[in-house]
Structures are given as C-alpha cells and as structure tokens.
C-alpha cells in the first residue's frame, strides 16, 4: 500500500524548491501499481499543477467524473498509437503529445470533429 502522506511530502518538497514552476506528477501504470487517482489527488493536494500519464486510457480515467482530479489540473498523455481515442482526449481537455506527422494528422482531425482546439505538446527525439 502506498503512503499518500509521503507522496504529499515529496511533492511539497519539490514545490518549496521551485515555487513558481509548473510541477507534473507522473501517475502512469495505475500510479505505478498504487492507484492513479489517489496518487494524483495527493500530488495535486500538495501542489502539483500537471499530471502525466502514458496511455490515453489513463488520462481519460483521471478526467472521468468521480476521479477527484480538479478540472483546472492539466493532464498530459504522451504514448499514442494510430487510431487512438484522440477525439475523446480533445473533448476531455487532455494535453496530447505529437511525435510524428501521423499523430498530428489524427489530432487535427479529432479537434475538427470535436469542434474545439486540441492542446498539443510536441515530442522531439533529439538523441
């Protein structure tokens, strides 16, 4: 079982060291097996302003009613496959990563279908 007080303390320590920085808590893989929503809520309570996930399903779960994640906390997903739930992510206000033209094409189509802009983070392989 995860010690949520320790999660809060760790996030507060980081927040204290960089009080004006945006702070992302990564809660992929179901909070590394400890429960994404409880870990996300603890991190946000302690000052995280972003949540990071690997898959769109994880991001959408944090955006779902009942997750307890406030609407003003940004959620980002960076691991996409062709044909993924792009429109659902756009409609749920999930920041999506784009690492290739195929992904850009899919997110543009999803934003058009949703009738709203997508929030896109560009992923560049610099290595």
């Amino acid at each position: 079982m995860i010690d949520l007080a320790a999660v809060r303390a760790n996030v507060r320590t980081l927040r204290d060291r960089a009080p004006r920085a945006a702070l992302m808590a990564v809660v992929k893989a179901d909070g590394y097996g400890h429960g994404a929503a409880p870990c996300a809520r603890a991190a946000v309570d302690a000052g995280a302003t972003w949540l990071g996930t690997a898959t769109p399903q994880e991001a959408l779960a944090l955006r779902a009613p009942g997750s307890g994640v406030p609407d003003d906390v940004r959620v980002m997903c960076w691991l996409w496959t062709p044909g993924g739930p792009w429109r659902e992510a756009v409609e749920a206000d999930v920041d999506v990563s784009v690492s290739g033209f195929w992904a850009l094409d899919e997110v543009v189509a999803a934003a058009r279908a949703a009738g709203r802009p997508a929030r896109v983070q560009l992923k560049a392989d610099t290595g």
Side-chain angles (χ1 to χ4, degrees), residues 13 15 18 30-32 41 43-44 53-54 62-64 71 82-83 98 114 117 119 125:
T13 297
R15 170 61 52 220
D30 193 32
Y32 297 93
R41 289 190 303 268
V44 168
T53 68
L62 293 177
R63 282 289 186 232
D71 291 340
V98 170
R119 292 183 1 183
D125 182 357

Side-chain angles (χ1 to χ4, degrees), residues 7-26:
V7 171
R8 286 184 197 92
N10 290 340
V11 172
R12 279 191 198 104
T13 297
L14 293 170
R15 170 61 52 220
D16 290 344
R17 290 185 179 252
R20 294 184 310 237
L23 178 66
M24 179 185 284
V26 176

Side-chain angles (χ1 to χ4, degrees), residues 54-103:
T55 69
Q57 292 76 17
E58 293 169 341
L60 292 169
L62 293 177
R63 282 289 186 232
S67 73
V69 174
D71 291 340
D72 64 338
V73 172
R74 295 192 53 184
V75 176
M76 187 182 88
C77 171
W78 63 83
L79 188 59
W80 287 89
T81 57
W86 295 93
R87 181 174 178 172
E88 292 90 339
V90 170
E91 290 172 341
D93 211 21
V94 170
D95 284 60
V96 299
S97 70
V98 170
S99 60
F101 286 114
W102 69 267

